[in-house]
Each structure stands twice: as C-alpha cells, then as structure tokens.
C-alpha cells in the first residue's frame, strides 16, 4: 500500500535513529493492520521518518513492539545487529550512502515493488519523492516465525537505512 503523506518530512538523518523494544504505541501518520496465517497480527505504523511494528500473537496479547525512530530522551543508537536467542528476536540494520543518483533509482524501484504488496506500507512525504519510509512483512519465512523489512530514505543526507527483523513465535 502506497500512501502520500501530508505531514512534512522530519529533517533528520540515520545517525539520529535508535531502536527501542517495548513501550507505548507512538503517534502515527498512517497505520496498517494485518492478520497473518495462524492469527498472528501485525500493526505497521509510519512515524514520520521512522517506524513502529506491533506484533500480537494468537489471543491478542502484544508480544513485541519495535520502534526505530528519533526517540526523545534516548541517545541515538541503531545497532548493526541485536540477537536475543532466548526471546527469539533478531534485528539487523545497515546504513547505505549510495553513489550520486543511485538513491533515486533504489527508491523508485522500492516504490514500484511495494505499491501493490498486500503486506507492505510505503509512506511518501511531500516535497521529495525519495523521502520514503517503507515496511514490508516477509512472507518467505518458515512456519513459526514472522519478520519484516524496513527502508528509511533520507535524501537530504543521501542515506538509506535498511532494517530486518525476524521473531520466533511462541
């Protein structure tokens, strides 16, 4: 699902992002609720130039809230990898600085690939078609796990933040 947002893009960069697990749902510009096989529910939330995913397992209890954002009162830190084997949570992040013109090409391709994806949410901010935050649920994982990928494009600093999360269901 591709949505044109009416809220101005948050002027930030990849270095301002942090990862938070748990915590409340933050104010969102757009939300997409999905129900996956096995009654697993995901809420994809666009938060300005950031995202939040809320995972609820069968029975409705929130099992996980993941937020990648500029969080008040929290120093910026986006780990390259975080693995909690006991909790079944795996997160990876990378920051790319594409060559001249490559960010535009990558974002155009991403928008085209995810525009009609029933398990994706793409927010395009006013003023720059490359100012995008996108989330897509992975449908290629083995039974008993759920995952998602995100893209945060910062054209003003020529940065593209990629994250990937996989959670083992209980």
């Amino acid at each position: 699902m591709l949505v044109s947002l009416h809220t101005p893009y948050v002027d930030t960069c990849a270095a301002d992002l942090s990862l938070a697990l748990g915590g409340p749902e933050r104010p969102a510009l757009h939300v997409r609720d999905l129900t996956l096989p096995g009654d697993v529910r995901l809420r994809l939330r666009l938060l300005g130039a950031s995202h939040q995913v809320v995972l609820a397992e069968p029975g409705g209890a929130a099992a996980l809230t993941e937020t990648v954002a500029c969080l008040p009162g929290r120093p910026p830190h986006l780990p390259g990898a975080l693995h909690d084997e006991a909790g079944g949570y795996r997160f990876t992040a990378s920051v790319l600085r594409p060559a001249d013109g490559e960010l535009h090409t990558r974002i155009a391709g991403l928008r085209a690939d995810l525009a009609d994806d029933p398990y994706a949410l793409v927010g395009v901010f006013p003023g720059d078609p490359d100012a995008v935050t996108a989330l897509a649920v992975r449908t290629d994982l083995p039974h008993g796990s759920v995952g998602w990928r995100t893209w945060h494009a910062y054209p003003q600093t020529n940065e593209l933040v990629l994250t990937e999360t996989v959670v083992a269901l209980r």
Side-chain angles (χ1 to χ4, degrees):
M1 170 185 282
L2 185 67
V3 293
S4 293
L5 302 170
H6 302 289
T7 302
Y9 192 69
V10 176
D11 189 21
T12 189
C13 68
D16 296 330
L17 295 174
S18 19
L19 169 68
L21 299 175
E25 289 189 21
R26 304 251 176 211
L29 300 175
H30 199 82
V31 176
R32 181 152 199 202
D33 289 316
L34 299 169
T35 301
L36 306 176
D39 196 32
V40 174
R41 290 180 297 221
L42 282 177
R43 176 171 284 157
L44 307 179
R45 309 180 84 245
L46 291 175
L47 316 175
S50 52
H51 82 265
Q52 187 172 59
V53 176
V54 180
L55 166 66
E57 293 190 46
L64 174 80
T65 301
E66 173 190 275
T67 306
V68 172
C70 301
L71 298 168
R74 181 186 279 273
H77 175 66
L78 188 62
L82 176 64
H83 303 286
D84 176 3
E85 297 302 326
Y89 177 82
R90 297 176 62 88
F91 173 88
T92 58
S94 58
V95 179
L96 305 178
R97 289 170 186 82
D100 286 344
E102 188 181 326
L103 180 67
H104 176 74
T105 302
R106 283 178 158 240
I107 297 306
L110 176 70
R111 288 176 60 176
D113 289 346
L114 298 181
D116 296 322
D117 185 333
Y119 296 106
L121 177 59
V122 181
V124 181
F125 294 86
D128 191 327
D130 296 334
V132 167
T133 298
L135 302 93
V137 176
R138 291 194 51 196
T139 57
D140 61 342
L141 295 173
H143 180 72
S145 60
V146 65
W148 52 89
R149 292 182 175 125
T150 72
W151 298 261
H152 303 257
Y154 301 97
Q156 74 278 11
T157 59
N158 192 46
E159 293 173 300
L160 179 60
V161 178
L162 310 173
T163 75
E164 186 169 356
T165 301
V166 176
V167 180
L169 302 173
R170 299 170 214 257

